[in-house]
């Protein structure tokens, strides 16, 4: 899977991408028995775009944050739950080279292994390229450095 290019459609006011719609896997994966995770170029109802799919069984919500070439956010696309921990959305008009990241919403319960923090942009583990460099300072950590039992909201 390759990173994707910026969509030709501008985001709506409030940052939600205007042409995102739920994929329900069968419309995006061409009849494959199991979903491919990550971002896949695909066609749905004759329209080319990208199908995003993520496995996050404990999440309450998952979204894809899209970025332009200048690394500025162009909006977010909510993923729909597909069942069995799968989340997906089809975004028409996106092409190879699009920069994006993921945000997962859910409980902050470190003692139970849940460290959801929607303030943090997550890398897609299936992405084939990472754009930019990571500066390992405090905002890149999910928890507060002085108190790991509390989420960091930077």
């Amino acid at each position: 899977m390759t990173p994707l290019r910026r969509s030709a459609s501008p985001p709506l006011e409030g940052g939600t991408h205007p042409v995102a719609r739920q994929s329900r896997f069968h419309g995006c994966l061409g009849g494959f028995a199991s979903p491919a995770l990550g971002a896949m170029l695909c066609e749905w109802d004759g329209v080319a775009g990208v199908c995003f799919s993520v496995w996050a069984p404990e999440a309450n919500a998952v979204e894809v944050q899209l970025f332009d070439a200048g690394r500025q956010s162009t909006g977010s696309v909510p993923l729909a739950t597909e069942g069995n921990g799968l989340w997906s959305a089809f975004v028409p008009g996106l092409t190879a080279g699009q920069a994006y990241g993921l945000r997962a919403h859910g409980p902050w319960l470190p003692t139970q292994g849940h460290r959801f923090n929607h303030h943090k942009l997550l890398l897609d583990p299936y992405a084939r390229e990472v754009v930019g460099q990571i500066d390992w300072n405090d905002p890149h950590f999910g928890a507060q450095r002085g108190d790991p039992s509390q989420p960091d909201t930077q």
Side-chain angles (χ1 to χ4, degrees):
M1 288 165 271
T2 59
L4 310 166
R5 255 178 245 235
R6 184 173 182 252
S7 170
S9 304
L12 291 176
E13 188 173 320
T16 301
H17 203 277
V19 292
R21 55 182 173 162
Q22 298 170 358
S23 72
R24 304 310 295 178
F25 284 125
H26 62 275
C28 196
L29 298 180
F32 292 118
S34 63
L37 297 174
M40 285 186 54
L41 294 173
C42 62
E43 189 174 299
W44 190 31
D45 293 338
V47 177
V50 173
C51 184
F52 292 96
S53 58
V54 175
W55 186 70
E58 302 298 327
N60 297 331
V62 179
E63 59 187 292
V64 174
Q65 188 83 40
L66 302 173
F67 295 89
D68 65 18
R71 299 187 189 159
Q72 298 299 309
S73 175
T74 60
S76 63
V77 177
L79 276 60
T81 182
E82 299 287 343
N84 295 322
L86 295 173
W87 298 80
S88 74
F90 173 73
V91 184
L94 296 184
T95 59
Q98 171 70 50
Y100 67 97
L102 303 167
R103 294 189 190 278
H105 302 254
W108 179 267
L109 300 168
T111 59
Q112 296 175 22
H114 299 293
R115 294 179 180 268
F116 289 92
N117 188 341
H118 65 274
H119 298 284
K120 304 302 175 179
L121 190 66
L122 306 172
L123 294 174
D124 180 350
Y126 295 95
R128 296 186 68 185
E129 181 179 354
V130 176
V131 178
Q133 296 181 3
I134 297 175
D135 178 14
W136 290 108
N137 55 30
D138 286 352
H140 287 97
F141 295 93
Q144 293 179 13
R145 296 291 291 277
D147 184 359
S149 68
Q150 298 299 312
D152 180 59
T153 58
Q154 294 184 39

